[in-house]
């Protein structure tokens, strides 16, 4: 037997050990649920009914309605990415809020839900830093993750509970009621965030040369002779006589493509096989196959590029060693 004094149209079933159940037709506010098993055992359970308003389930957007995009957290922070670029502020409204505590003296707070946040995490402690908001941090990207994400990461599920607590301690024993919330957050790899969101292709090249630090720029006498050119087509081009490389938009769709394109064009200059817009490709593509295990590109990707350029399937792939991600 159970009852909620003062509540009309209350209905539902309560089951132990946590007395989980459902009630309907209850207004916002605070209530005491009295449970009586008819055999001398009774208990009073306090609970609060509050309304949470937020964009749940869809992609997180800013005040202008634009999708919020954040970057993975890089394990070796550098000037290209700040921690703020890896954080998404999730705003919501609670009625009644903690400023209208009522008789129970409850406070509203946020509880992480690690079981349902698939990548990254919600930091409950950030609740106190802003008005009705909590911060989601993107997953970490490691330097040895050669395929952190091909292109965009996509949607990460940020899940958390908004709870009503007794007092300021906010521990699980003081939890009166809680409401589950979730939203999708768009996450990009560091490289894509720099190249696409920040629109800084030159810094994206710096990122590649830092992460793939085995790439030897000796054939072009260093970093100054590799650049992004917005008007080019395809992935890139080598200029043998001036010892320089141009990278084009297609090379910035994923960091793996960019790294593989760089070593392809470096080979042209090293071998002297690129003159005035034409030249042998076998050695340059062979270099891509041989280094796929450390650039992270798939064999299919190299195969397709070869077929489109050469018009056959005679791939120079004898040096291909395969690839297995360390993730």
């Amino acid at each position: 037997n159970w009852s909620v004094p003062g509540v009309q149209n209350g209905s539902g079933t309560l089951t132990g050990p946590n007395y989980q159940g459902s009630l309907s037709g209850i207004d916002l506010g605070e209530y005491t649920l009295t449970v009586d098993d008819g055999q001398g055992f009774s208990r009073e359970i306090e609970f609060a009914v509050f309304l949470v308003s937020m964009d749940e389930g869809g992609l997180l957007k800013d005040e202008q309605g634009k999708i919020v995009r954040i970057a993975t957290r890089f394990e070796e922070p550098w000037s290209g990415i700040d921690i703020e670029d890896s954080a998404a502020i999730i705003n919501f409204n609670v009625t009644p809020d903690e400023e209208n505590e009522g008789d129970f003296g409850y406070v509203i707070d946020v509880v992480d839900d690690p079981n349902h946040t698939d990548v990254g995490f919600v930091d409950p402690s950030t609740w106190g830093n802003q008005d009705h908001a909590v911060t989601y941090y993107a997953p970490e990207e490691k330097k040895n993750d050669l395929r952190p994400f091909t292109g965009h990461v996509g949607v990460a599920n940020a899940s958390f509970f908004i709870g009503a607590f007794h007092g300021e301690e906010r521990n699980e024993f003081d939890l009166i009621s809680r409401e589950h919330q979730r939203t999708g957050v768009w996450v990009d790899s560091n490289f894509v965030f720099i190249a696409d969101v920040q629109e800084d292709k030159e810094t994206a090249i710096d990122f590649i040369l830092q992460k793939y630090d085995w790439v030897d720029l000796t054939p072009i006498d260093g970093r100054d002779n590799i650049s992004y050119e917005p008007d080019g087509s395809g992935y890139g081009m080598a200029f043998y006589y001036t010892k320089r490389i141009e990278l084009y938009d297609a090379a910035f769709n994923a960091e793996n493509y960019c790294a593989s394109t760089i070593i392809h064009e470096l080979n042209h200059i090293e071998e002297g096989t690129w003159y005035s817009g034409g030249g042998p490709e076998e050695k340059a593509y062979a270099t891509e196959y041989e280094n796929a295990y450390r650039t992270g590109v798939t064999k299919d990707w190299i195969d397709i590029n070869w077929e489109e350029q050469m018009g056959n399937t005679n791939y120079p792939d004898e040096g291909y060693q395969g690839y297995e991600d360390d993730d």
Side-chain angles (χ1 to χ4, degrees), residues 78-81 190-208 223 228 252:
W78 64 297
S79 59
I81 293 291
N190 269 233
F191 175 80
V192 170
F193 187 85
I194 296 168
D196 195 16
V197 179
Q198 294 182 335
E199 298 181 339
D200 188 349
K201 301 295 195 296
E202 291 297 329
T203 300
I205 295 172
D206 292 335
F207 178 86
I208 292 296
R223 168 68 177 88
Y228 165 67
F252 293 89

Side-chain angles (χ1 to χ4, degrees), residues 149-218:
F149 310 100
T150 299
H152 304 284
V153 175
V155 180
N157 179 44
S159 179
F160 57 98
F161 291 99
I162 300 172
F165 292 80
H166 273 304
E168 298 293 333
E169 293 300 323
R170 294 169 166 84
N171 59 55
E172 60 179 319
F173 301 107
D174 292 326
L175 181 63
I176 304 172
S177 304
R178 68 180 186 179
E179 174 65 22
H180 188 219
Q181 297 292 308
R182 64 172 63 85
T183 189
V185 181
W186 188 269
V187 182
D188 291 303
S189 67
N190 269 233
F191 175 80
V192 170
F193 187 85
I194 296 168
D196 195 16
V197 179
Q198 294 182 335
E199 298 181 339
D200 188 349
K201 301 295 195 296
E202 291 297 329
T203 300
I205 295 172
D206 292 335
F207 178 86
I208 292 296
L209 297 177
Q210 182 208 43
K211 184 170 179 177
Y212 300 80
D213 52 14
W214 51 269
V215 175
D216 183 6
L217 297 182
T218 301

Side-chain angles (χ1 to χ4, degrees), residues 34-63:
T34 301
V35 180
D36 184 350
D37 67 357
Q39 299 180 17
F41 173 81
S42 64
R43 182 177 179 181
E44 291 186 345
I45 301 173
E46 297 172 346
F47 68 94
V49 179
F50 54 89
L51 175 66
V52 178
S53 301
M54 65 173 283
D55 293 330
E56 184 177 4
L59 278 171
L60 185 67
K61 298 179 181 179
D62 61 20
E63 294 179 354

Side-chain angles (χ1 to χ4, degrees), residues 249-264:
D249 283 328
F252 293 89
N253 288 332
E255 67 178 61
N256 317 107
Y257 303 167
C258 192
S260 199
T261 299
I262 290 173
I263 64 171
H264 179 115

Side-chain angles (χ1 to χ4, degrees), residues 29-32 46-48 50 96-109 163-171 174-177:
E30 308 166 23
Y31 301 91
T32 300
E46 297 172 346
F47 68 94
F50 54 89
D97 63 17
E98 72 280 0
E99 295 179 356
N100 185 18
E101 296 174 345
D103 295 336
F104 292 167
Y106 71 80
V107 293
I108 297 295
D109 206 344
F165 292 80
H166 273 304
E168 298 293 333
E169 293 300 323
R170 294 169 166 84
N171 59 55
D174 292 326
L175 181 63
I176 304 172
S177 304

Side-chain angles (χ1 to χ4, degrees), residues 122-150:
V122 173
D123 183 359
S125 68
T126 59
W127 159 261
N129 300 334
Q130 50 232 339
D131 183 24
H132 284 177
V134 69
T135 303
Y136 165 82
Y137 289 99
E140 186 178 62
E141 175 183 333
K142 298 181 180 298
K143 186 174 182 180
N144 64 353
D145 290 343
L146 300 184
R147 287 185 198 169
F149 310 100
T150 299

Side-chain angles (χ1 to χ4, degrees), residues 235-252:
Y235 290 93
M237 183 174 289
F239 297 87
Y240 176 72
Y241 290 114
T242 55
K243 298 293 188 292
R244 65 187 180 88
I245 291 172
E246 292 182 354
L247 297 177
Y248 306 140
D249 283 328
F252 293 89

